[in-house]
Amino acid sequence: MVLLEGLKIANQIKEEIAETVTKMKEAGQKVPHLAAVLVGEDGASLTYVGSKVRSCQKIGFESTLIKLPQEVTEEVLLKHIDELNRHPEIDGFIVQLPLPKHIDEHKIIMAIDPAKDVDGFHPVNVGKMCLDLETFLPATPYGVMELLERYQISVSGKHAVVIGRSHIVGRPMSVLLSRKGIWADATVTLAHSRTKNLKELLLQADVVVSALGVPHFVKGDMIKEGAVVVDVGIHRIPDARLPKGYYITGDVDFEEVSKKASYITPVPGGVGAMTIAMLLKNTLIARERAMTKA
Ligand code: NAD
């Protein structure tokens, strides 16, 4: 069994980006600038946004964090988005999800300029992804594809089962795996909460990407010998004995599944780290595109 070390690969990608940024500075060019909008005080969102901003600083990007209170109105949030869309210094920005219930998430995503939508959630960018056009790929599935490629794992002609059909992970994951290309070309089954024969499907899978959000759902007896297993799930499990009061685990029962898998991602240290690296990559791409347009 080979561990797919997302953290290690993510650090490599960040180093590559940092080298490009150094060259940009040396050439007197503007460096990429990522902005993040955070609404409320949700613990996981604070952690994610915090590490996105810290990563920007480490690799030489400019970053801006806009923190808004939980009770902010949709109108005020839309005003911030409009400013970011028009701000000449900001190359790309994200609005950290989930948003409070009184805000229409869809309306917010629609308001983001697709050219600055480095999360790749705007329908224009989703459409372009489906049509193999130049776009911003959503960071988590993009990270999974990049991880497979860097480990030289070909999924071509293989049967991949993706568990979960969310707009940010499962659905785009199924699209990317099934696209044409040397590191894609898989035959994909997209499973979800209404799927009746999941275990049967998983036992036929050469590649499993789990993104359903249930801790330790995928057990050893659901996986074919030699399968590639990618665990997207992130769960904070409360444990009062630990200094942080919780530990992080995934959708996959690592202890059982790692005995059968040929390759497997750990949690933490797997897909999560790749997600941030690919967001930074998208921001660099946004800057490069803006430069060629100028
Ligand atoms: P979501 O809740 O939006 O979607 C879950 C999907 O799983 C749904 O489509 C649902 O139909 C499916 N599902 C639920 N129960 C199922 C079952 N028993 N059998 C089959 N399918 C089932 O979740 P999401 O936003 O896609 O996130 C999924 C997991 O990935 C969460 O643990 C989340 O924290 C994690 N996540 C990780 C990263 C990362 O960077 N690693 C990024 C985003 C999300």
Side-chain angles (χ1 to χ4, degrees):
M1 182 274 291
V2 175
L3 206 55
L4 294 170
E5 294 180 79
L7 187 59
K8 195 173 96 184
I9 302 295
N11 284 335
Q12 269 173 25
I13 294 168
K14 285 188 206 168
E15 271 171 35
E16 291 162 14
I17 299 173
E19 276 169 32
T20 309
V21 174
T22 305
K23 283 184 193 142
M24 284 174 148
K25 276 187 191 156
E26 282 166 4
Q29 293 163 350
K30 175 186 154 352
V31 299
H33 189 155
L34 174 71
V37 182
L38 175 65
V39 179
E41 296 285 331
D42 174 69
S45 293
L46 278 168
T47 310
Y48 295 145
V49 170
S51 77
K52 286 166 188 174
V53 170
R54 275 195 307 281
S55 294
C56 280
Q57 288 157 357
K58 273 192 201 149
I59 63 168
F61 281 14
E62 295 285 341
S63 64
T64 298
L65 174 59
I66 299 170
K67 275 180 93 174
L68 301 171
Q70 176 80 13
E71 59 278 6
V72 70
T73 62
E74 196 174 88
E75 198 189 344
V76 170
L77 179 54
L78 286 169
K79 250 178 123 178
H80 280 280
I81 290 174
D82 185 48
E83 277 167 25
L84 290 168
N85 282 341
R86 286 185 289 112
H87 199 303
E89 291 295 311
I90 307 279
D91 298 298
F93 67 96
I94 59 159
V95 179
Q96 185 67 39
L97 303 179
L99 290 168
K101 291 214 162 37
H102 65 277
I103 295 175
D104 181 347
E105 217 162 83
H106 188 61
K107 205 168 167 185
I108 299 303
I109 290 171
M110 291 290 281
I112 299 173
D113 177 354
K116 292 192 177 188
D117 168 39
V118 284
D119 257 341
F121 294 163
H122 191 284
V124 165
N125 286 327
V126 177
K128 285 182 172 176
M129 172 185 70
C130 293
L131 296 172
D132 298 337
L133 298 171
E134 193 180 80
T135 183
F136 295 112
L137 299 178
T140 303
Y142 186 12
V144 173
M145 297 308 289
E146 187 73 19
L147 192 59
L148 294 174
E149 182 175 337
R150 295 223 179 196
Y151 274 87
Q152 305 274 294
I153 299 170
S154 169
V155 297
S156 176
K158 304 266 174 69
H159 181 202
V161 174
V162 177
I163 319 173
R165 59 180 163 187
S166 74
H167 294 160
I168 61 166
V169 189
R171 184 78 53 83
M173 190 72 251
S174 70
V175 173
L176 295 183
L177 283 163
S178 64
R179 289 206 308 185
K180 276 190 179 175
I182 46 167
W183 297 105
D185 280 333
T187 303
V188 179
T189 299
L190 181 56
H192 47 77
S193 52
R194 298 295 172 108
T195 300
K196 288 210 169 88
N197 53 341
L198 182 59
K199 186 171 174 184
E200 202 180 302
L201 292 166
L202 286 172
L203 285 168
Q204 295 167 25
D206 305 302
V207 179
V208 173
V209 180
S210 183
L212 79 155
V214 179
H216 294 190
F217 177 90
V218 180
K219 301 286 182 195
D221 66 354
M222 298 175 171
I223 296 293
K224 188 168 86 170
E225 199 70 48
V228 175
V229 179
V230 177
D231 189 355
V232 178
I234 299 181
H235 310 282
R236 287 180 180 212
I237 310 289
D239 187 336
R241 292 165 302 175
L242 299 172
K244 280 188 176 172
Y246 65 88
Y247 67 93
I248 302 283
T249 193
D251 282 356
V252 173
D253 186 326
F254 185 88
E255 208 182 308
E256 285 187 21
V257 174
S258 59
K259 292 190 179 105
K260 291 179 96 178
S262 55
Y263 294 88
I264 186 168
T265 56
V267 178
V271 176
M274 290 299 292
T275 297
I276 294 182
M278 302 327 281
L279 172 69
L280 300 171
K281 178 104 185 170
N282 276 344
T283 309
L284 175 64
I285 293 170
R287 173 88 291 269
E288 287 170 344
R289 281 186 198 154
M291 222 155 56
T292 52
K293 259 196 233 157

